[in-house]
Amino acid sequence: MPAPQLLVLFGSQTGTAQDVAERVGREARRRRLGCRVQALDSYAVANLIREPLVVFVCATTGQGDPPDNMKNFWRFIFRKNLPSTSLCQMDFAVLGLGDSSYAKFNFVAKKLHRRLLQLGASALLPICLGDDQHELGPDATIDPWLGDLWEKVLELYPVPIDLPVIPHGVPLPSKFTLQFLPEAPNPSSKESCLAISDSLGPPSESQPFLAPMVTNQRVTGPSHFQDVRLIEFDITDSGISFAAGDVVLIQPSNSAAHIQQFCHVLGLDPSQCFVLQPREPDVPCPPGLPQPCSVWQLVSQYLDIASVPRRSFFELLACLSPHELEREKLLELSSAQGQEDLCEYCSRPRRTILEVLCDFPHTAGAIPPEYLLDLIPQIRPRAFSIASSLLVHPRRLQILVAVVQYRTRLKEPRRGLCSSWLASLDPKKGPVQVPLWVRPGGLAFPETPDTPVIMVGPGTGVAPFRAAVQERVAQGQTGNFLFFGCRWRDQDFYWGDEWQELEKRGCLTLVTAFSREQQGQKVYVQHRLRELGPLVWELLDHRGAYFYLAGNAKYMPTDVMEALMSIFQEEGGLSHPNAATYLARLQRTLRFQTETWA
């Protein structure tokens, strides 16, 4: 019998799971297996009952949550009314991506694997648990697991003998063809390819709103080490609405200098225009790219040349390289044995795709343009907590942006693509438009008017709480308790005057921790929580308060949870196990919510 179409479905937040899913697709095609690769939420999930062979690749985000592009699928697959024989014709495998330093390591993959078994599907092999913490990254687990997967699949669905495996050194056909046009269809090749939606729905990733930037103001002191901006957009007539806790997604662009350097090293004319055609009928063209499109538009708004390349980039680059020495090095960096070298060359110093291409100039100059979309990932939108309420600032949307810049052993400082791009925009010099849209965030605030809220937001983590405080004060809710921490009162105390004014009006209880302002031990928000343990316990246990935490994920969330555990034990008289149960109950009932980022 003919081999069935393999379906690879992925849930990806940062692009890693998508990259792995596409790798599975490539390996399937090399073995002459038909294969489709799709994001979970773009697949009609009701069709799963007819799929004979599916590989699920899914990341775990936050506190054990599914990625955004698999949330609809997640809700569907866990419906209680699905029969236990729904998927009895399906063979499946689950590949998870997670980080073992988090409590809910690969929680989504594990839960999905159990659910598919409950619905009658047959597991081809045990679940793969990729771990970011492994010295060689998730590939240390993925490589041997994929070897086992192909052995199992080809045993069940053998490929005809006259179809040999396509060797790794031979490039597979590109996803798209590029037909260059003899002349540009319009005079400006540098215009944005994004347009305001004519559709009735609110702005979205496929149709963002081009929001005029109103202000772009530095809010940290001149001597502070970090440049933090308060940025305001005009969203009049956009169809955008939001509540406290929601996030705005912004689609950034590459810098003009990087675009020019990229075009130079690849020998591309930035003003030349082309039409994109998928090679296969079921592959859609990338959303947001116009037809026809200029090279400048493609590189500016689509190709993430400032990202750190993954192993798959080196695999394809090696296939395309005509230069013996460069090809040899690329093959080494893409091999299983070369992963420590790849980490040393790329991941640790955060070397970008553009820098790698400059390091391999003979290969870069020979890349066929139609392979650019296979080789280089799409620029992903960046999410920012909305820092304002429509009740206080109608027709406006504000965000707090820390401009990311740090040094590695490379000569050039590393810069965050979106934060640096936003910081470079100056509405005082002329109109500036930024493509954006809004989605629900990880924080939801109580609707009951007399429920108090405790908000812990050090640094830029305070942004969503400004929206919440504004909204709650406008609705007459006064039980607002904010724990804010930063280094210096006069350098990075975001909205300090605003908080103090609300405190005077009796609308807010503000507790601050300025970590660098005392001699000896630094004071952080968790210390202030412990100091006010009786109040925190009273609010949580007697007044039904909700507790919120937002900010950097490195140490602060663990420190705050330890502080809470000690409060539950000291003020509530609970044993350690009972305190842990109490905290788990707060989390389960959404009275303890977090939004943290790396």
Side-chain angles (χ1 to χ4, degrees):
M1 68 181 271
Q5 273 264 334
L6 169 65
L7 175 63
V8 183
L9 295 173
F10 66 85
S12 186
Q13 193 73 10
T14 62
T16 306
Q18 180 176 351
D19 183 68
V20 172
E22 286 170 355
R23 174 186 172 185
V24 175
R26 285 192 303 275
E27 292 198 9
R29 291 182 197 106
R30 287 194 181 282
R31 287 162 175 79
R32 307 292 186 156
L33 293 164
C35 185
R36 290 163 294 150
V37 180
Q38 276 184 256
L40 276 153
D41 278 0
S42 73
Y43 175 77
V45 65
N47 293 342
L48 267 184
I49 59 168
R50 290 185 287 277
E51 298 287 355
L53 188 58
V54 187
V55 174
F56 296 87
V57 182
C58 44
T60 295
T61 69
Q63 312 298 306
D65 302 314
D68 293 329
N69 68 355
M70 72 176 282
K71 283 185 173 168
N72 293 335
F73 165 84
W74 198 245
R75 278 190 288 272
F76 183 94
I77 205 78
F78 282 98
R79 283 185 183 177
K80 289 191 168 63
N81 61 352
L82 294 179
S84 61
T85 55
S86 302
L87 302 178
C88 60
Q89 82 312 322
M90 180 200 285
D91 288 322
F92 78 93
V94 174
L95 191 166
L97 292 160
D99 185 321
S100 58
S101 67
Y102 284 80
K104 295 195 171 179
F105 171 56
N106 263 313
F107 181 77
V108 169
K110 291 171 184 172
K111 195 169 179 183
L112 175 61
H113 192 272
R114 284 197 300 272
R115 182 59 175 157
L116 294 169
L117 291 172
Q118 286 171 0
L119 296 175
S122 302
L124 287 167
L125 66 169
I127 187 172
C128 175
L129 301 177
D131 184 6
D132 268 352
Q133 287 297 314
H134 192 284
E135 57 182 5
L136 299 180
D139 281 346
T141 318
I142 293 169
D143 287 353
W145 186 86
L146 280 178
D148 294 343
L149 175 73
W150 298 127
E151 201 174 296
K152 200 83 179 170
V153 167
L154 293 170
E155 191 180 296
L156 289 170
Y157 306 104
V159 173
I161 294 168
D162 58 344
L163 287 178
V165 171
I166 300 169
H168 272 286
V170 177
L172 294 165
S174 61
K175 275 189 216 160
F176 302 97
T177 60
L178 266 66
Q179 183 191 342
F180 283 102
L181 305 177
E183 57 183 44
N186 62 57
S188 173
S189 66
K190 296 186 186 180
E191 281 180 10
S192 170
C193 65
L194 298 155
I196 296 173
S197 174
D198 295 325
S199 64
L200 298 173
S204 62
E205 182 165 9
S206 58
Q207 202 70 61
F209 175 67
L210 291 177
M213 185 184 282
V214 181
T215 57
N216 185 350
Q217 172 196 358
R218 178 171 170 139
V219 289
T220 40
S223 64
H224 192 62
F225 78 101
Q226 191 165 40
D227 180 357
V228 177
R229 304 295 181 99
L230 175 61
I231 299 177
E232 184 174 40
F233 301 102
D234 183 348
I235 55 167
T236 306
D237 300 327
S238 66
I240 287 174
S241 68
F242 54 87
D246 288 351
V247 298
V248 61
L249 286 109
I250 290 177
Q251 187 66 43
S253 296
N254 287 309
S255 72
H258 282 168
I259 298 164
Q260 286 159 353
Q261 189 181 6
F262 178 86
C263 290
H264 174 73
V265 78
L266 268 76
L268 296 169
D269 175 357
S271 65
Q272 196 166 12
C273 289
F274 60 87
V275 174
L276 204 63
Q277 286 287 324
R279 283 193 191 272
E280 294 176 23
D282 59 344
V283 175
C285 279
L289 273 189
Q291 293 273 38
C293 180
S294 73
V295 170
W296 182 278
Q297 286 170 331
L298 175 71
V299 184
S300 166
Q301 290 153 352
Y302 192 85
L303 300 180
D304 197 357
I305 59 175
S307 64
V308 177
R310 304 177 194 274
R311 180 177 166 186
S312 57
F313 170 86
F314 291 91
E315 285 174 1
L316 179 51
L317 205 54
C319 287
L320 301 174
S321 177
H323 189 272
E324 193 179 339
L325 278 176
E326 289 186 2
R327 181 185 171 92
E328 198 177 298
K329 185 64 183 171
L330 290 164
L331 283 169
E332 187 186 312
L333 291 169
S334 63
S335 70
Q337 301 75 32
Q339 291 313 286
E340 182 51 48
D341 288 345
L342 178 59
C343 190
E344 190 59 35
Y345 171 63
C346 248
S347 308
R348 287 196 183 103
R350 312 298 294 164
R351 196 183 302 269
T352 67
I353 283 175
L354 177 55
E355 288 168 331
V356 171
L357 291 171
C358 292
D359 283 351
F360 293 86
H362 299 93
T363 303
I367 294 169
E370 61 262 28
Y371 276 100
L372 287 175
L373 287 101
D374 296 79
L375 189 65
I376 302 171
Q378 182 180 352
I379 297 174
R380 302 183 73 81
R382 272 47 169 191
F384 296 89
S385 296
I386 297 172
S388 57
S389 167
L390 286 172
L391 297 178
V392 175
H393 299 281
R395 301 188 298 279
R396 291 287 191 266
L397 186 155
Q398 296 179 352
I399 56 174
L400 193 64
V401 179
V403 182
V404 177
Q405 182 173 323
Y406 57 94
R407 287 209 158 284
T408 67
R409 57 182 168 78
L410 299 179
K411 184 182 171 188
E412 282 291 309
R414 307 293 89 188
R415 291 183 172 88
L417 174 64
C418 191
S419 62
S420 299
W421 176 68
L422 285 170
S424 74
L425 303 175
D426 187 355
K428 291 176 187 169
K429 292 182 179 174
V432 172
Q433 291 183 314
V434 171
L436 54 78
W437 63 99
V438 163
R439 67 163 166 77
L443 303 177
F445 292 85
E447 292 175 13
T448 44
D450 54 348
T451 303
V453 295
I454 303 167
M455 298 162 283
V456 180
T460 54
V462 77
F465 301 140
R466 180 171 181 255
V469 169
Q470 285 186 350
E471 202 158 281
R472 287 171 60 82
V473 169
Q475 293 165 340
Q477 296 165 312
T478 54
N480 305 307
F481 297 82
L482 176 65
F483 288 77
F484 174 76
C486 66
R487 292 184 175 211
W488 305 96
R489 189 187 310 265
D490 62 346
Q491 295 292 321
D492 52 342
F493 186 10
Y494 310 125
W495 300 300
D497 293 343
E498 205 172 300
W499 303 133
Q500 286 159 353
E501 179 58 34
L502 288 169
E503 200 172 26
K504 277 182 200 164
R505 287 167 46 194
C507 303
L508 175 72
T509 300
L510 175 68
V511 183
T512 54
F514 302 111
S515 64
R516 302 299 195 272
E517 289 194 357
Q518 56 281 314
Q519 297 296 320
Q521 193 181 359
K522 298 183 178 83
V523 173
Y524 296 114
V525 284
Q526 61 267 24
H527 301 123
R528 296 292 189 224
L529 278 168
R530 286 176 194 259
E531 286 168 19
L532 293 171
L535 172 65
V536 172
W537 178 252
E538 163 75 20
L539 290 168
L540 285 171
D541 200 59
H542 302 302
R543 293 178 55 193
Y546 279 54
F547 189 99
Y548 298 88
L549 174 62
N552 192 295
K554 197 167 186 184
Y555 303 116
M556 185 269 300
T558 304
D559 293 338
V560 167
M561 289 216 256
E562 283 175 3
L564 279 180
M565 287 284 288
S566 70
I567 290 168
F568 299 161
Q569 291 170 79
E570 289 163 24
E571 306 303 329
L574 302 180
S575 65
H576 190 276
N578 288 346
T581 304
Y582 189 91
L583 183 59
R585 188 165 71 246
L586 291 178
Q587 289 172 314
R588 193 172 60 252
T589 56
L590 297 184
R591 285 181 54 212
F592 179 97
Q593 298 177 39
T594 62
E595 188 161 273
T596 59
W597 52 87

